[in-house]
Structures are given as structure tokens and as C-alpha cells.
Amino acid sequence: MRLSRQVGEALSDGLAGKRAAEAARRLGRLLGAEAVALADCDRVIATWGRLDQDACTQILAETLEELEPVTDPPLKAAPLVVSGDLAGCLILSGEVGHAELAEAAHLVATALDHAELDRARERIAAADLRTLRAQISPHFMHNALAAISAHTRTDPERARDLLSDFSDYLRYSFAVTGDYATVADELQAVQTYLELQRARFDDRLDITVQIAPEVLPVSIPFLVVQPIVENAVRHGFESRPGLGHIAVRGYSEGPLCVIEVEDDGAGMDPDLAKAVLTGGQSTGKEGRGGIGLANVDHRLRAVYGAEYGLWLETATGAGTKATIRIPRYARGVLAQ
């Protein structure tokens, strides 16, 4: 079991990855083979042990033509079929039975399938992040600059602090250092954003942030908390008079990291909340911020799987609570 897992890990970058030779070596140990070769549809990529190159080339061509395991002593080979497509070939020498060969080929194909799925998820998440950056609200930027301008005469020192906050917010939002950040970094950006909003609303915005220390270093997709907070401000507070409250909470729940953003605003119809998360509602008074929330949910599910993501609990007149549930540790999710 341990060697099987190690084979999968070594193939996490695919057949052409840097650890393909390690995967061949571990397969050899797992099967008790004399030599192992991994090939794509054109050539041998990685080998372990001594193999005749001409014999490998010949059995590779035969296997890819037959699309069935081929025995051509002293070699044996089986095709690697990944998601219905021919990806290459596994070649062995030594006393390895037909059933063991088929099982090993299945192990390699499964590992390659998982690697391709992980890469596809990363591409989706990166594309969604580019979309979200392109949607950084001009409405917010205009209002933030207007609030800073209004304080230049009445409170120049605060205006300078707000201008520094605005610069920090933009620097973080358009950072290009990676697709992931820590919870601590995300929350720092959120607090900067909320300070700018507090100035805009003449301090009528009450903010509570409660984060358990153990979740601060957790890596999460970049810009997943801020769009939720922005939606809480715009939908829950922007159109109503008087004091508004937004609470941001983070804590661990077993192996999960849970982040909640709750406002005491107008709330919305639960069916509308579902439409917002699917991207079916993005305009109009109640739909503002819908694209951002759908984007966040889509990226979370692309990175972690369909069982994770963003949930909304709301009702008309009862405020809204948005909850993120993700694993505290996930392979490939690492803040840079």
C-alpha cells in the first residue's frame, strides 16, 4: 500500500514529470521486476534497471497497435489508458504475471488520471482568479478614493492612513506571487478593505473579527474571503441607514478550516441565494456581488472537490451568513 501511494505521488506531474524515473523504480520494487520503463505514445520516458532500447521501442509499437497487453520475451507491456484516451505504455522485464502487469498498468493509469484532474482544477482556479481580479469593483475604488478625499481637509492624518490602506489593498488584490495565500494574509486584506469602508460610511460600520490561531497559517485560494465581505457590505449595509455589523470568524472543525462572514443586513430569499451561488443572479438590487460569490464557490470546488465550497444561510430581513468549509491541509495547496 505504501509503495502504491509512493508511485502515485511520483507521477503527480505526469509521465513527463521530474519524478517519472522514481515512479519506475518504485514500480520495480512493488512488482519484484528486473526492470521497468514508462513510455508515452512516442518514446520511452523513464527507466529503472537494464532494458534493451530497441526491444522497448518494438514492444511499445506493438502494444500501442494492439491496445492489449503484449508479451515479447524477455519483455511484457500493457497500454496506459487514462480517461478513455491512450496515454502510453508500461514495460517490464522479469518474472511478473499477466494479472500483476494489468494491475500495475491500472495503478499507473489511475495515478496519471488523478494528476491530470489536479492540473485541470488548477487551470480552472487560475482562470477564475483572473476573472475575479478583472471584477475588482470600480464602485468600491471610486467610493474609497472619495472617502479619502473627503478626509483630506477634515482629518489629514486619517486621510494619509486611508491612502496607505488603499495602496496595500490594491497591492494584495493584484499580487502575482501565486494562486494561494494564508488565512492570515486574506484577513489582513479584509481588515484593510473594511477600514476603507468604515471611513466611507462615517464609522457607521461595526466590525468584529475572531480568528482561532490554528487556522491563521492555513493555505487557501487567493481572494476568496474579500469578495464575500464585499457582498456583505454592499448587499447587507450599503442601502440601509443606521449602524450595521459584520462579523468575520475563523476556526477549525476537526480536519476542516471554517470561515464565516455574517451581516445583519436585509438578507435575501433563500432561492435567490441559490441562484447567486450558481451565477444565475448577478444584476439588480438583490443580485449585486453574485458573480463574485459564484466565482468563489466555483474556485473552492475546483481546488478541493465538490463536497467543499461556499454556503449561504439567509432569509429576507434576517441578514446573511456565508460559510466556507475547506480542508486545513490539501495536497498542492500552498501559499507562496
Side-chain angles (χ1 to χ4, degrees):
M1 180 66 73
R2 182 174 63 87
L3 281 172
S4 297
R5 185 178 68 253
Q6 290 172 340
V7 169
E9 292 172 352
L11 289 172
S12 61
D13 292 330
L15 280 176
K18 296 180 179 179
R19 300 176 63 189
E22 178 187 341
R25 175 173 60 84
R26 294 192 182 282
L27 277 168
R29 291 180 58 191
L30 180 66
L31 297 168
E34 294 177 0
V36 176
L38 292 170
D40 61 15
C41 293
D42 298 314
R43 60 188 177 88
V44 172
I45 298 293
T47 62
W48 172 78
R50 292 187 176 183
L51 287 166
D52 181 84
Q53 187 65 39
D54 291 338
C56 282
T57 300
Q58 181 178 343
I59 199 170
L60 170 61
E62 292 178 10
T63 305
L64 296 183
E65 182 178 352
E66 295 292 334
L67 294 181
E68 294 288 344
V70 172
T71 299
D72 188 4
L75 300 182
K76 303 178 180 69
L80 301 173
V81 180
V82 179
S83 298
D85 295 326
L86 185 62
C89 181
L90 170 65
I91 303 170
L92 305 173
S93 72
E95 299 298 322
V96 179
H98 185 84
E100 292 173 305
L101 172 65
E103 187 175 346
H106 177 72
L107 170 65
V108 173
T110 300
L112 294 175
D113 188 29
H114 289 169
E116 178 56 33
L117 179 59
D118 288 343
R119 289 194 293 273
R121 285 176 172 175
E122 289 174 0
R123 289 194 295 269
I124 291 170
D128 284 346
L129 178 57
R130 289 193 295 271
T131 299
L132 188 61
R133 279 173 168 152
Q135 294 168 350
I136 295 294
S137 174
H139 178 75
F140 161 70
M141 295 175 70
H142 171 79
N143 287 326
L145 289 172
I148 293 169
S149 177
H151 281 83
T152 55
R153 292 184 180 180
T154 59
D155 193 345
E157 184 174 350
R158 187 176 186 190
R160 285 193 294 270
D161 291 340
L162 291 171
L163 189 59
S164 178
D165 286 342
F166 186 64
S167 175
D168 290 342
Y169 172 79
L170 291 181
R171 186 181 301 111
Y172 180 79
S173 297
F174 292 100
V176 292
T177 55
D179 295 328
Y180 304 104
T182 64
V183 169
D185 290 336
E186 279 282 289
L187 292 177
Q188 180 62 50
V190 164
Q191 288 184 295
T192 300
Y193 170 84
L194 287 172
E195 285 302 319
L196 291 164
Q197 291 287 26
R198 190 203 297 271
R200 176 193 167 198
F201 290 111
D202 297 323
D203 297 323
R204 292 187 294 110
L205 183 59
D206 184 38
I207 303 166
T208 300
V209 178
Q210 297 175 318
I211 307 296
E214 65 268 19
V215 303
L216 290 174
V218 172
S219 295
I220 58 176
F222 187 68
L223 281 181
V224 295
V225 182
Q226 187 275 335
I228 301 171
V229 173
E230 180 174 1
N231 187 70
V233 171
R234 296 185 66 189
H235 175 71
F237 182 68
E238 192 173 65
S239 61
R240 56 172 284 189
L243 184 68
H245 182 253
I246 293 177
V248 181
R249 295 180 287 270
Y251 55 93
S252 60
E253 195 174 81
L256 300 181
C257 171
V258 181
I259 299 174
E260 299 173 345
V261 178
E262 187 170 9
D263 68 73
D264 61 356
M268 68 178 81
D269 181 86
D271 290 335
L272 178 60
K274 293 180 182 178
V276 165
L277 282 184
T278 60
Q281 177 71 45
S282 60
T283 60
K285 181 178 179 181
E286 290 188 304
R288 291 177 299 179
I291 293 177
L293 294 186
N295 182 296
V296 167
D297 185 57
H298 189 210
R299 285 198 294 138
L300 290 172
R301 294 180 189 276
V303 171
Y304 298 107
E307 66 269 35
Y308 303 103
L310 174 65
W311 286 265
L312 296 179
E313 299 175 50
T314 186
T316 303
T320 300
K321 181 166 77 170
T323 303
I324 292 173
R325 282 189 172 86
I326 57 174
R328 292 173 62 186
Y329 306 100
R331 189 181 66 182
V333 180
L334 182 65
Q336 298 179 0

